[in-house]
Amino acid sequence: MPKANNSSQLLRQTIFRSRQRLTVVLAIVIGLCAGAKMFAECLPNPYRAVDGWAKLTEGRPMGAVGDLAMDPNGLHIWAIIRCTATDPKRFGNECLDSNLDPILEFDLKGNVVKSFGGGMFIWPHGIDVDQEGNVWITDAVSAKKTPPGKRGHQVVKFSPDGKVLLTLGTPGVPGSDPNKLNAPCDVVVATNGDIFVADGHSFDRGNNRVVKYSKDGKFIKAWGQTGYAPGEFRMPHSIAIDSQGRVFVADRGNNRIQIFDQEGKFLAQWTQFGRPSGIAFDDKGQIYVTDSESDNVENPGWEMGIRIGDARTGWVTAFILYPWGDPRVVEGTGAEFVAVDRDGNLYGGEARTRRIQKYVRVRP
């Protein structure tokens, strides 16, 4: 009998120790997953990829995809598709010698319903659609790739039918004074009509600032410079405004999102969304951030993909991991920009792989 009691006690102690070890391991794993860094795959992915969504007309090949935006009624998606699609080594001036329309409007089935802008841009990059349906485009060509002429370093406002309504910047002339821009990455229009431009597609050269204009295009102010401190930037790659009116800037070179009020007052910085390239919001208070560059060189310990979270708290709740192939280190492979439709489906604009990748929401 004593032997049996000893055996039972030993068994209970072994089970207890095993449970303790399991509890510790689970706590470590859950804690690491909650950090959403190296263990981003632990976050849920409530989306399913749908290939071949975008259907171009007249046999046009797909070029590198830039920014995407939904129109106000939620029935159409505007996209930048850069012109040259035949030379994989060409980058940064794909529309220089092409008359193809780089601004395309798609219905939710992926059919092109409208296009315009041919011959007007060198490297169209950012897009916004304001509350009236007007389409805003940035030309982010670098100074060294800008030939003599009247294109580049501009923001152009179009009517929904492609009529030019307003231009910002001096065409073909990079600069940093109130009348000039230098490779502007993106643009967003506030509800009162004020215009915010993320100016500078460069880590260390050119402009690294946000420029604010009135609705009629008059310069109001600018803030930011090259650097690492709050309010400084190393490539402000995307800009967006949430439902609270806060200005979000994807400070890609610094691996962070910076948040400001509309007067340029620094409010916060978020690093939990990886190396951000694009930012979008839905009407349910969610933020969507694309990470197209995290790899073993640019941002070790992070994965490319689309992170989704609460726009108010910044808490990351879901992650669409980029479907890797070999080799794993491929700079700039994932989606640079993202748009979300009224049903919660996502559309990722991928430059290197030349596609608009649709993701259908399959779980609440």
Side-chain angles (χ1 to χ4, degrees):
M1 291 297 294
K3 291 183 178 180
N5 288 338
N6 290 339
S7 298
S8 298
Q9 184 177 5
L10 180 62
L11 178 61
R12 287 195 296 270
Q13 289 176 345
T14 302
I15 294 173
F16 178 74
R17 292 193 186 100
S18 298
R19 286 176 176 173
Q20 281 185 317
R21 294 190 190 100
L22 180 59
T23 300
V24 171
V25 170
L26 287 174
I28 292 172
V29 171
I30 291 170
L32 290 171
C33 289
K37 291 186 179 180
M38 294 181 67
F39 291 84
E41 295 93 331
C42 297
L43 290 168
N45 176 10
Y47 293 87
R48 173 177 59 84
V50 177
D51 294 329
W53 174 80
K55 307 169 187 68
L56 302 187
T57 57
E58 300 176 358
R60 174 177 172 171
M62 179 66 77
V65 180
D67 203 355
L68 308 154
M70 295 296 302
D71 69 1
N73 62 25
L75 296 176
H76 294 92
I77 299 165
W78 289 89
I80 291 172
I81 298 180
R82 297 179 191 130
C83 308
T84 300
T86 56
D87 184 358
K89 296 182 180 179
R90 185 166 180 177
F91 177 79
N93 65 350
E94 292 96 312
C95 290
L96 175 62
D97 50 7
S98 174
N99 287 319
L100 284 174
D101 291 338
I103 307 165
L104 285 75
E105 182 183 16
F106 293 86
D107 63 22
L108 294 183
K109 295 181 179 180
N111 301 305
V112 177
V113 298
K114 193 183 302 177
S115 67
F116 52 78
M120 296 184 63
F121 300 92
I122 299 174
W123 201 49
H125 191 273
I127 190 170
D128 187 43
V129 181
D130 65 27
Q131 292 177 314
E132 298 175 353
N134 300 307
V135 182
W136 300 71
I137 305 292
T138 71
D139 193 332
V141 63
S142 67
K144 66 180 181 180
K145 291 187 177 182
T146 304
K150 298 296 183 181
R151 290 184 293 168
H153 310 287
Q154 292 186 95
V155 177
V156 182
K157 175 186 179 182
F158 294 92
S159 72
D161 294 320
K163 179 182 178 181
V164 175
L165 302 177
L166 179 70
T167 58
L168 304 173
T170 303
V173 182
S176 58
D177 63 45
N179 298 315
K180 295 184 180 69
L181 299 166
N182 190 343
C185 287
D186 200 11
V187 58
V188 66
V189 181
T191 54
N192 67 351
D194 285 346
I195 308 154
F196 297 84
V197 178
D199 186 27
H201 197 280
S202 172
F203 293 134
D204 301 312
R205 300 178 301 277
N207 297 341
N208 274 297
R209 63 178 185 169
V210 173
V211 188
K212 179 180 179 180
Y213 301 88
S214 65
K215 63 181 179 181
D216 55 359
K218 293 181 180 179
F219 175 86
I220 296 176
K221 67 190 312 180
W223 71 85
Q225 62 183 7
T226 301
Y228 302 87
E232 298 178 346
F233 305 100
R234 295 182 65 247
M235 192 183 294
H237 196 264
S238 179
I239 190 166
I241 297 176
D242 73 351
S243 61
Q244 300 179 51
R246 298 178 298 173
V247 179
F248 284 62
V249 180
D251 185 11
R252 187 163 82 178
N254 285 324
N255 298 334
R256 65 185 179 183
I257 294 171
Q258 294 198 63
I259 307 172
F260 304 89
D261 69 14
Q262 294 191 17
E263 296 304 313
K265 178 183 177 182
F266 175 81
L267 301 176
Q269 70 174 15
W270 291 351
T271 60
Q272 65 270 33
F273 287 90
R275 186 175 174 86
S277 284
I279 302 173
F281 299 97
D282 64 17
D283 58 2
K284 298 178 178 62
Q286 297 293 297
I287 182 173
Y288 301 81
V289 181
T290 57
D291 182 343
S292 63
E293 293 200 348
S294 281
D295 55 29
N296 297 339
V297 176
E298 294 291 348
N299 195 22
W302 295 77
E303 296 278 9
M304 292 184 197
I306 302 173
R307 292 177 176 84
I308 304 158
D310 186 303
R312 182 179 59 85
T313 65
W315 187 260
V316 181
T317 57
F319 179 57
I320 303 173
L321 178 68
Y322 185 78
W324 278 101
D326 291 322
R328 283 188 66 83
V329 180
V330 183
E331 180 183 0
T333 301
E336 281 202 41
F337 296 99
V338 64
V340 54
D341 67 23
R342 59 185 182 179
D343 297 319
N345 303 314
L346 305 183
Y347 305 83
E350 299 182 7
R352 186 180 291 274
T353 54
R354 299 174 180 171
R355 66 180 178 181
I356 299 175
Q357 180 64 65
K358 181 177 181 178
Y359 297 93
V360 175
R361 191 170 185 92
V362 294
R363 295 197 305 272

